[in-house]
Structure formats: structure tokens, C-alpha cells
Amino acid sequence: MKQQNRKMTYGPSPESPDSVYSWLSKSKKKFGHFINGEMTKPKNTFDTINPSTGEVLAKVSKGTENDVKLAVKSAKAAFKAWKNFTSFQRAKCIYALARLIQKNSRILAVMETLDNGKPIRESRDIDIPLVARHFYHHAGWAKILEDKFTRKEPLGVVGQIIPWNFPLLMLAWKIAPALAAGNTLVLKPAETTPLTALFFAELCMEANIPPGVINIITGDGETGSFIVKHNDIAKIAFTGSTEVGRLLRKQTAGLEKKLSLELGGKSAFIVFEDADLDSAVEGVIDSIWFNQGEVCCAGSRLLVQEGIQQKFVTKLKRRMGRLHLGDPLDKSTDIGAINSFSQLEKIKSLVASGEKEGAKIYQPKIEMPTQGFFYPPTLLEQTHQSMDICQTEIFGPVLTVIPFRTPKEATAIANNSRYGLSASIWTENINLCLDLAPKIKVGVVWINSTNLFDASAGFGGYRESGYGREGGIEGLLEYLKDPKLSRKLNSNRKSSIKEVNLVKTHETQTIDRTRKIFIGGKQTRSDSGYDRKVFGFRKEVIGQVPEGNRKDLREAVEAANQEVKWRNMTPHSRAQVLYYAAENLELRKKEYVSILKKMTGIDGKQEVESSLETIFHYAAWADKFEGTIHDVPIRGVSLAVNEPVGVIGIVCPDDNPLLSFVHLVFSALCTGNSVIAIPSEKHPLSALDMYQIFESSDMPAGAINIVTGDRRTLTQTLAVHMGVDSLWYFGTKEGSKNVEELSISNLKQTWVNYGQQYPWLKPSREFRTLSLYKATQVKNIWIPYGE
Ligand code: NDP
């Protein structure tokens, strides 16, 4: 037998593109937008091409501002009817979409592969089945929504902007929950991958989705910006680059639009020396070479324990040499084409700069196509954390490798990133992986697995990977609001004004006391050396508080970041500390009632009683605001853990100065956050005095820091500070806008009141629950389980 006959080679096994071509021909390869239930005439067209050949597949229209206006108008007109559909009717519509996707799964998979460049194996076995699953799952939610969320309502018209890496899957992630919650929508697919969205538009007609409920406008970034800027859009759901995410935050600041951002990542793939190395190698292949590495959660940073580094990398290189790169329609292709010429150029230039930085490039000698946008699987060795190539998202088939010695070091390297999307941990030691999972600051952790997604498990990041979740209950909540909350806000505004007017005058006595700010568990003088006068309701001076400045806040943020005891305390122990604080406040009730009276003129009894009740409320929740377990359709489960956001800055309002402080601070503390609180600027005394309560209640140093002073200056410092993970602001409408605008530096989460007054004395159940949600973010940990 001749040598070559002994070798097993793959023959070509291409999937036929004919069904797609004949569908394209029906429209003469030209498409308009899907507005109000029908396709518009093609206009201002641009090409969408097959990135593996350069062939023009079709011409699609670039959406203008007018197109967006028409789409929003039709979505607005459809909203009332869609909202008033019974849950059963809505569920049936979404179910019909799921069924149609399944019936058309082959043509959709081929079309996705042609337009995006991804291998047919992936579009056929991963993308499209997940798309169907998403619609099925949310058809279920549509049916039982009212049972689960008794008082919630849809938002209205939502704008959705998606990228090119998983075109139809991202559409499903956005559209299915929006519809299930009763919203109508305008969605823009990416410029380079519009075809499956246009085919989906046809499915909407076939499924009898009422006209205007779903609108699809094709186009580029400018078209996207028309959606973002439209006044009638209640929420923007965006997936894409961190840069554009940041821009959207800025553009929507102060506009009272909900915003969810699913952005980039630079995720760690951590292999310990006791891992099943062959499985881990397969994991790496899936983690970084799935979808050509054009995956936001791609495990692009391989961290290998030093003792096995050489062995593991050798195995990996051998496996890389067996990857098949080429025609994406071929069923044996592992790596397809990069989506666009510009993305290919970006990958090339980042790898070249990595080489300049000193990285050693390994690319296996595999056959490369002679046309189209292809890039070989690439491993960059001799890299270290400070290199740009280890910090910048490449969004391509490029992996860096860094050794580590101890679990502690692996955690530190994994967390050394501005992103926080996902991590994959490989070890046979269950204690080790469950020890690491909470320590890595990411929204998703996969244990001995990678790139697992499901409609029931929320997906999304921490830090500059964005906020908000897609999928799971959290994803659904993104598309719902609490109407009772906003009604209460307005009614409360009137009642508190009345209360102030009814105040009888009382004799007051000036309090002669030196108050300090509270940082890292210590009472301290402000760096400014100045105090500010506090006036009573009759305009007389009733005390002085320190004029906190930037330096004070920097120290407070540092203390909050260094705090570990509170964060690591068991929820039960945290509850005990909070109950203890209530006991101590109870002992000094009279004193607080009197301070409140002096500051506001209102009898403070009710406010102090409510503060005690509020502390009890959040102490009770401390060990009950638990996560959940998702039954994902794999051999495993996903643990959705409610993690504290981290360091929360809280700027308190002037109304109910003690109670509002207690509500906000204790809801943040009870879930394990550390807090920097700025008490009411006008009435700061009662909140500042709370440090005495904290000091006597075993609260660990740094968990709560209190700085008084000029609200505007202090808020600005917190908003731009990279060490603050979330900023809650309860002040003016203008101040709210500023907070949203300024928070873009590290994309901190924000919760602002847009100048509205909250019903602190009669908080609704929803408002209290919302505070707990704002204080936490969900981490999904996928673990193998069962047979
Ligand atoms: P973008 O963030 O630019 O695009 C994502 C979506 O937003 C697209 O639909 C895009 O339109 C649209 N868009 C662009 N600018 C605006 C704007 N000003 N207002 C509203 N919508 C806008 O990502 P790119 O496609 O340009 O990719 C650039 C880099 O981003 C990649 O190299 C990768 O690193 C990262 N990326 C990350 C993704 C993720 O899932 N985390 C997904 C995609 C990219 P259009 O298609 O016309 O540009």
C-alpha cells in the first residue's frame, strides 16, 4: 500500500447553498426594511457579501432617520394592542416563531454561514437550535408572566442593536424577551450580516405577528444612532463594542431610557495541573476557535499552571495542526472566514503589535484558502499581563498564554482586565473551582466547560463588559417596569410638601458638637480643614459637618475597595450585624427624633420608626436574597448566584434624610457591598451620626464610609472614580444626567432618580426589591451534574 493511501483524509462535504440563492432571487437580491408588517421598497442600498469568497449576496437598504421614525411610529401604534393581548395570545405568537425557525432551520443555517462566514457545523448545531430554544422558552414566559411578576408592565417601544458575530442568535436574545414582556420593537442588525434578520421578517408575517410589533431596519452605525436618539424609545438593548456602548451611555444619559449593554471581553481560560488535559485542550479549541474567535466571551487568555505548561502547550499545538480551515459550507470545516475585511485587518494589526511587544507567534502549517478573509489559528507565547495583546479584545482566532503558580495568582491574572465577561476553570478539584468561581470578577463562570449558553440562564458581564443580562429572569426584567413605583413617586411629592407646610414652630437649641467624616472605620477630619454650617428649618445654625473633598473620597474608595471581611462574611453573620445596628439605633431613638426635628421641622418619630423597620427588612433579606439554579439542557446545571456589585457610591436625597440614607445604605450593605455614602447636603446630621451606630455594631472597617460636603463636587468625583463599581444618585434631574454621562469611564452601573421624589415613608414592595436587584449582579456558574 502506498504511503498516502494509509492516511485518512477528509473529502469535501459541502452543504448546498441553493435554497438560499433561490430565496434571494425571489426578491431580485434587493431588500427594503420590515416596517408595520411589510417590506418597504429597497432604497439607498449597499452590498452584503460572502466573506469566504467576496461574492455579493444581496443589496440591502441603509435605514434613514425617516425610516426609523416610521418604524418607531408603527411600533408605538402596535404597542397598546400587543400589550392588551392575553398572555395566551402572545405566547401563541412567540411559539409560532419558534416553530417556524425550527421548520426553516436548514435554510437559516446556510444563510447565516454564507453571510457571516462561520462554519455550517456551528450555525446548524449551535446558533439555530439556540435561536429556536430562545423563542420556545420565552413563549413560556409570555404565558406565565403575570403569575410570576404580578405588578409589572412592558416598557413600550424598545430599540435593539445587534452585532455580526451571531446575527440570528443575537436577534433572538433581544426579540424573544422583549415580546414576551409585551413590548414592541425596532431592531437593527449589523451592516455586514442582515440576511437572516430579513428572512426572520418573513417568518413574522407567516406567524401572523400583528403589524408594527416587530420592525427591522437594516443599515450602519448611523442608522443605529437614529434609533438611540428617538424620543419614543423606552429602552436600548445593545450588543457590540465597548466604545459604542460607552457612546450610547453618554447619548442616553438623563433621558430616562433603560439601557442594557453587552460588550466586549478578554476572558481567562484557567487550566490547573490536575485537570483532565485532553478535555482541557478540547475546551481551549472550543473557547477560542469557535466562531473564529469572534465571540465576546472567547477564552482569549489561556492561563496554565507552570508545572504543566510545556506539556499542555505541546498538546495544544498538535491539536491546532489538525484544525480544518476553509469553506464554511463544508461540514468538516472547523474554522471559517473572518466576517469582514476590516475585522481581518484589525486582527492582523493587533497580532503584529503583539509581536513587536515581544510575543512569539505560533501558527500551525495548515492549508489556507486563496480567497476570502481567513486567518489561521494563532497562539502567542512569551506574553505577559502588561502587554497590550493580553488586555485588548482581538475578536479573532488568537490566543495568548500566560503561566501561573498558585490559585491566588491565577485569580489575580484573570482579574487583571478592564473587562469581566466570563471565565472557564479546569481542574478535577471541586473545592478549587468553587473557591475560584466567586473570586473571579465576571458575569459567567464555566467549570470544566466553556461557551455554554441557554435561554434560561442570564448572560452578561461585570465592569467594562457592560451591564444588564440577556436570558433568564434577569433578562426578562430588563424589559419590564413597575408602574406602581412611578405613580407613588408623584403622589409622595405632594404629601411631603404638605407635611412641611403643616409644621409648627418649635424652640431649637444649637448642637455644639464636632462631627467628623467616617472613613475605613475611623472618625476623621476632612482633608480640606473646613466645615460647613448646617441650618435648621428656621434657618438657624444647628451644627457643622466637615467639607469633604476629593482626597477624602479617594481615601474612602480605597478603604471600601480594601474591605474584605464584610464581603466574605456569611450572609447569616451579615444579618446579625445589621440587626445589631437596629438595636443600637433603638437605644438612641430619642436623640435621632430630636435631630430630625431640628433639621426638617417635622416630628421625626415616624421616620426613626421606619428606619428601624427598614434595617430589620434588609437584615432579613441578607441571607435570603439568593440566586437560583437553572435547569439548562446539558449534562449540568447553572447556578445563578447573586453577587454584590462591589463598591457602591450612594448620594442621598434631602427628603427624609435619615430614612432615605438607611434605605439605600442598608439595601446595599445587606448583600455584601461596601459603601461610600454622601448624606443629604441640606440635612446631613442624622445620617452622619449613624457612624456611631455602625461603630458599635461590629461593622467591619471600610464597609461603610460617610463623607459630607458639597453634593455636586462629591458626586462628580465618585462618578469618574475607577474604584467605584456603581453609583446611586438621588438628587436633581440634571444631576442624574451628569451621573449617567460621567459614569462612562469604567462603565459603572448607575441608579438615578431623574429628580423624582421617592416614597421613603411608604416604600412599595417593588421599590424595596428593586434596591436589592440594584445592589447585586448575577453570576452564572455552569457545573457538570448528573449523568
Ligand atoms: P460595533 O460596536 O461598532 O457594532 C455593533 C452594532 O452597533 C452594529 O449593529 C453597528 O452597526 C451598531 N453601531 C455602530 N455605531 C453605532 C452608533 N454610534 N449608534 C448606534 N449603533 C451603532 O462593533 P463593530 O461591528 O464595529 O466591531 C468592532 C469591534 O467591536 C470588534 O472588533 C470587536 O472587538 C467588538 N465587538 C464586540 C462584540 C460583542 O459581542 N461583545 C460584537 C461585535 C463587535 P454597523 O454594523 O453598521 O457597524
Side-chain angles (χ1 to χ4, degrees):
M1 209 186 266
K2 280 187 189 159
Q3 182 68 22
Q4 71 257 37
N5 289 347
R6 265 196 242 123
K7 206 172 144 200
M8 297 270 283
T9 51
Y10 287 91
S13 167
E15 177 79 38
S16 166
D18 292 350
S19 58
V20 174
Y21 287 131
S22 77
W23 179 74
L24 291 172
S25 311
K26 273 201 303 184
S27 316
K28 299 198 174 66
K29 297 191 175 181
K30 273 191 171 181
F31 295 88
H33 309 294
F34 181 56
I35 300 177
N36 205 25
E38 52 190 33
M39 295 302 296
T40 62
K41 284 209 174 98
K43 221 171 43 183
N44 310 323
T45 59
F46 61 92
D47 295 342
T48 181
I49 64 162
N50 175 346
S52 70
T53 59
E55 173 204 6
V56 175
L57 293 168
K59 286 185 180 300
V60 296
S61 303
K62 175 181 164 353
T64 60
E65 188 162 14
N66 206 34
D67 294 324
V68 170
K69 277 185 184 161
L70 279 175
V72 175
K73 197 173 160 198
S74 84
K76 209 173 157 188
F79 175 61
K80 205 168 163 209
W82 181 244
K83 187 181 153 199
N84 290 335
F85 263 40
T86 64
S87 55
F88 187 35
Q89 282 171 320
R90 265 203 305 270
K92 279 196 285 188
C93 286
I94 303 172
Y95 185 77
L97 286 172
R99 296 295 284 167
L100 284 166
I101 283 157
Q102 241 173 2
K103 285 184 210 161
N104 289 281
S105 58
R106 194 47 73 100
I107 187 174
L108 281 167
V110 176
M111 198 178 296
E112 200 74 308
T113 287
L114 284 172
D115 207 18
N116 166 279
K118 63 174 72 202
I120 185 74
R121 230 164 18 102
E122 291 177 5
S123 50
R124 184 195 60 196
D125 299 345
I126 297 168
D127 290 52
I128 308 303
L130 274 174
V131 171
R133 158 87 180 137
H134 234 81
F135 280 101
Y136 278 126
H137 183 76
H138 285 91
W141 269 127
K143 179 69 189 73
I144 59 166
L145 194 82
E146 286 144 22
D147 299 347
K148 175 81 185 172
F149 307 106
T150 36
R151 295 187 198 153
K152 298 233 184 273
E153 276 188 3
L155 306 172
V157 181
V158 297
Q160 307 183 314
I161 297 168
I162 57 173
W164 41 262
N165 53 345
F166 294 93
L168 195 63
L169 184 56
M170 289 302 104
L171 174 147
W173 280 23
K174 298 270 183 293
I175 291 187
L179 291 184
N183 300 279
T184 58
L185 60 100
V186 178
L187 173 135
K188 186 194 92 64
E191 191 179 342
T192 55
T193 52
L195 291 185
T196 44
L198 292 167
F199 190 90
F200 177 80
E202 271 190 16
L203 299 186
C204 293
M205 296 188 243
E206 214 177 317
N208 283 327
I209 304 293
V213 169
I214 298 174
N215 301 274
I216 296 173
I217 305 278
T218 50
D220 58 9
E222 192 187 23
T223 308
S225 72
F226 296 140
I227 297 177
V228 174
K229 286 176 195 156
H230 200 296
N231 284 340
D232 291 336
I233 296 271
K235 172 196 163 74
I236 295 292
F238 172 79
T239 300
S241 61
T242 295
E243 290 65 40
V244 176
R246 219 174 240 127
L247 182 72
L248 300 199
R249 171 67 290 180
K250 198 163 179 201
Q251 285 174 339
T252 55
L255 298 181
E256 302 189 30
K257 284 184 205 282
K258 267 194 162 189
L259 177 68
S260 53
L261 300 173
E262 204 270 275
L263 310 174
K266 192 76 182 172
S267 300
F269 189 103
I270 307 168
V271 186
F272 285 93
E273 52 196 13
D274 69 343
D276 171 348
L277 295 194
D278 292 325
S279 300
V281 166
E282 289 312 309
V284 176
I285 300 291
D286 183 24
S287 184
I288 184 67
W289 290 303
F290 164 61
N291 208 41
Q292 297 72 245
E294 295 165 334
V295 184
C296 47
C297 53
S300 51
R301 288 186 297 149
L302 172 62
L303 313 186
V304 193
Q305 200 157 19
E306 211 173 56
I308 52 151
Q309 186 190 1
Q310 211 179 354
K311 187 174 168 193
F312 190 75
V313 169
T314 308
K315 271 179 185 278
L316 183 62
K317 285 180 176 170
R318 201 179 311 137
R319 181 67 177 85
M320 285 170 75
R322 300 213 182 100
L323 290 169
H324 285 252
L325 190 142
D327 180 6
L329 277 180
D330 193 315
K331 288 168 210 141
S332 60
T333 291
D334 297 309
I335 301 182
I338 300 299
N339 179 250
S340 63
F341 178 71
S342 62
Q343 186 62 21
L344 179 64
E345 288 301 300
K346 182 185 163 194
I347 297 167
K348 283 182 184 167
S349 104
L350 279 167
V351 171
S353 76
E355 199 176 10
K356 261 197 206 145
E357 282 183 296
K360 197 174 122 207
I361 299 187
Y362 173 79
Q363 290 173 334
K365 289 188 180 55
I366 52 177
E367 235 174 90
M368 292 285 292
T370 50
Q371 58 169 1
F373 313 138
F374 288 91
Y375 196 83
T378 301
L379 180 67
L380 295 181
E381 294 176 273
Q382 294 173 13
T383 54
H384 52 80
Q385 299 181 63
S386 59
M387 285 180 166
D388 190 41
I389 200 82
C390 294
Q391 295 293 336
T392 304
E393 181 180 50
I394 300 174
F395 226 62
V398 183
L399 177 68
T400 60
V401 56
I402 299 179
F404 69 86
R405 286 182 198 153
T406 60
K408 197 172 171 196
E409 196 186 358
T411 309
I413 301 175
N415 284 336
N416 183 10
S417 166
R418 63 193 173 107
Y419 297 111
L421 194 48
S422 65
S424 183
I425 305 170
W426 292 73
T427 164
E428 293 297 291
N429 180 344
I430 184 81
N431 290 333
L432 183 57
C433 43
L434 293 181
D435 177 47
L436 246 64
K439 289 181 180 157
I440 301 179
K441 292 177 184 151
V442 292
V444 186
V445 175
W446 291 294
I447 291 173
N448 291 327
S449 56
T450 191
N451 274 342
L452 298 172
F453 313 100
D454 185 56
S456 69
F459 179 87
Y462 288 10
R463 308 204 276 200
E464 291 187 36
S465 291
Y467 38 74
R469 294 288 178 267
E470 308 232 328
I473 293 174
E474 312 88 78
L476 202 56
L477 281 169
E478 288 286 330
Y479 289 98
L480 290 164
K481 69 175 176 193
D482 205 319
K484 246 190 117 199
L485 265 182
S486 38
R487 276 201 293 276
K488 276 227 163 174
L489 306 183
N490 296 332
S491 63
N492 187 63
R493 184 174 297 172
K494 273 188 217 132
S495 69
S496 85
I497 291 167
K498 216 166 143 197
E499 206 173 350
V500 175
N501 292 341
L502 286 176
V503 167
K504 290 187 208 129
T505 52
H506 280 267
E507 270 304 311
T508 50
Q509 203 181 345
T510 309
I511 303 169
D512 186 19
R513 250 185 67 194
T514 308
R515 287 185 167 87
K516 295 186 184 161
I517 52 177
F518 189 59
I519 296 178
K522 291 196 185 102
Q523 299 181 33
T524 167
R525 290 186 187 283
S526 163
D527 169 73
S528 73
Y530 291 103
D531 276 357
R532 55 167 46 214
K533 290 191 176 107
V534 179
F535 296 93
F537 71 106
R538 289 194 300 173
K539 312 273 185 280
E540 78 286 22
V541 176
I542 56 167
Q544 294 198 334
V545 293
E547 184 72 65
N549 67 9
R550 258 185 224 183
K551 184 151 181 285
D552 298 323
L553 276 185
R554 273 206 301 271
E555 279 172 14
V557 174
E558 203 181 322
N561 270 291
Q562 279 171 3
E563 200 297 312
V564 283
K565 213 170 149 199
W566 182 245
R567 211 176 316 154
N568 294 334
M569 214 179 248
T570 64
H572 172 74
S573 307
R574 269 205 303 267
Q576 297 310 299
V577 174
L578 300 185
Y579 283 125
Y580 196 16
E583 277 179 35
N584 287 323
L585 180 60
E586 166 92 27
L587 286 175
R588 300 174 59 174
K589 220 155 83 177
K590 270 194 192 152
E591 191 186 315
Y592 280 84
V593 171
S594 139
I595 298 171
L596 282 168
K597 179 83 182 203
K598 280 170 184 150
M599 290 193 302
T600 64
I602 300 169
D603 181 358
K605 249 189 226 141
Q606 194 192 350
E607 186 163 346
V608 177
E609 280 300 338
S610 292
S611 300
L612 284 167
E613 188 271 335
T614 304
I615 299 177
F616 251 67
H617 179 84
Y618 287 115
W621 271 113
D623 61 352
K624 289 176 203 67
F625 197 63
E626 301 163 318
T628 182
I629 298 179
H630 297 303
D631 256 337
V632 284
I634 56 151
R635 190 188 67 80
V637 290
S638 162
L639 311 180
V641 181
N642 285 340
E643 289 204 332
V645 173
V647 173
I648 302 185
I650 299 179
V651 183
C652 299
D654 289 331
D655 40 318
N656 299 113
L658 175 66
L659 180 56
S660 56
F661 171 92
V662 163
H663 180 116
L664 296 167
V665 168
F666 280 78
S667 63
L669 285 174
C670 83
T671 47
N673 296 287
S674 29
V675 169
I676 298 123
I678 315 289
S680 150
E681 181 181 302
K682 202 168 157 200
H683 310 302
L685 301 181
S686 54
L688 183 59
D689 282 357
M690 281 294 288
Y691 63 63
Q692 295 169 344
I693 304 290
F694 290 118
E695 272 179 331
S696 52
S697 308
D698 294 342
M699 178 65 74
I704 169 76
N705 305 275
I706 309 173
V707 178
T708 46
D710 177 65
R711 183 210 300 268
R712 214 159 156 257
T713 318
L714 298 177
T715 303
Q716 276 191 355
T717 307
L718 284 177
V720 296
H721 200 301
M722 301 294 276
V724 177
D725 300 303
S726 179
L727 183 54
W728 299 0
Y729 172 88
F730 288 74
T732 61
K733 194 167 192 288
E734 188 57 27
S736 301
K737 180 172 184 254
N738 280 339
V739 163
E740 290 188 336
E741 266 174 0
L742 291 171
S743 67
I744 61 173
S745 59
N746 66 339
L747 279 172
K748 62 174 60 65
Q749 301 181 26
T750 54
W751 182 22
V752 300
N753 70 335
Y754 300 110
Q756 293 190 322
Q757 216 170 8
Y758 277 75
W760 304 107
L761 283 167
K762 283 189 197 148
S764 62
R765 199 177 61 196
E766 290 77 12
F767 181 58
R768 288 184 157 185
T769 311
L770 178 68
S771 310
L772 292 168
Y773 277 109
K774 293 285 180 191
T776 49
Q777 50 193 349
V778 176
K779 172 181 279 180
N780 272 280
I781 304 172
W782 295 63
I783 55 172
Y785 179 78
E787 280 187 44

